[in-house]
Every structure is written in C-alpha cells, then in structure tokens.
Amino acid sequence: MSGGGASPDRLLKIAEVKSHVGLGKSKIYSLVSEGRFPRPYKLTPKAARWSEREISDWIAQAQAGR
C-alpha cells in the first residue's frame, strides 16, 4: 500500500507534451530557452522527458492568465 495517496509523477515524451499544450516542438524548446516553460529532465544524452505535474501546473498558470 502506498503512503500519502498521491500518484507518482509521470515523465512525458515530447509528443505527449505537444498534445497536452497544443504547441509544436520548436515553440516548446523556444519557451524552455526563454525560461517560460518547464525544462525537460535529460535521462540520457538523447532522451528528454517532462514532468506531467510541471506541465499541468504550467497549463493551469496559462489558463489563469499569467
């Protein structure tokens, strides 16, 4: 039985991030470089993944007009 009841954070591939936020890969990476989008976690030199929780928070902030 897990403690706390919170589900673990999923790591999303770029295709899933694009689907969630409705932006293209180039725009996502541009926003990352500007510090306006969550940075990916580099699992290997060629594998980047984003925190689903951080993406959800970013979407919520965008909807709130930040």
Side-chain angles (χ1 to χ4, degrees), residues 28-56:
I28 290 169
Y29 277 105
S30 175
L31 291 172
V32 167
S33 70
E34 295 170 9
R36 298 174 45 208
F37 195 82
R39 296 188 74 75
Y41 294 91
K42 295 294 284 183
L43 304 180
T44 70
K46 293 186 179 186
R49 300 292 184 271
W50 282 259
S51 159
E52 184 174 41
R53 188 171 298 129
E54 291 174 11
I55 298 302
S56 295

Side-chain angles (χ1 to χ4, degrees), residues 10-24:
R10 282 184 59 229
L11 294 177
L12 307 176
K13 293 181 179 183
I14 187 65
E16 294 173 287
V17 175
K18 288 169 42 180
S19 175
H20 282 311
V21 300
L23 299 172

Side-chain angles (χ1 to χ4, degrees), residues 55-66:
I55 298 302
S56 295
D57 290 347
W58 183 87
I59 291 168
Q61 289 175 357
Q63 289 173 335
R66 284 194 70 198

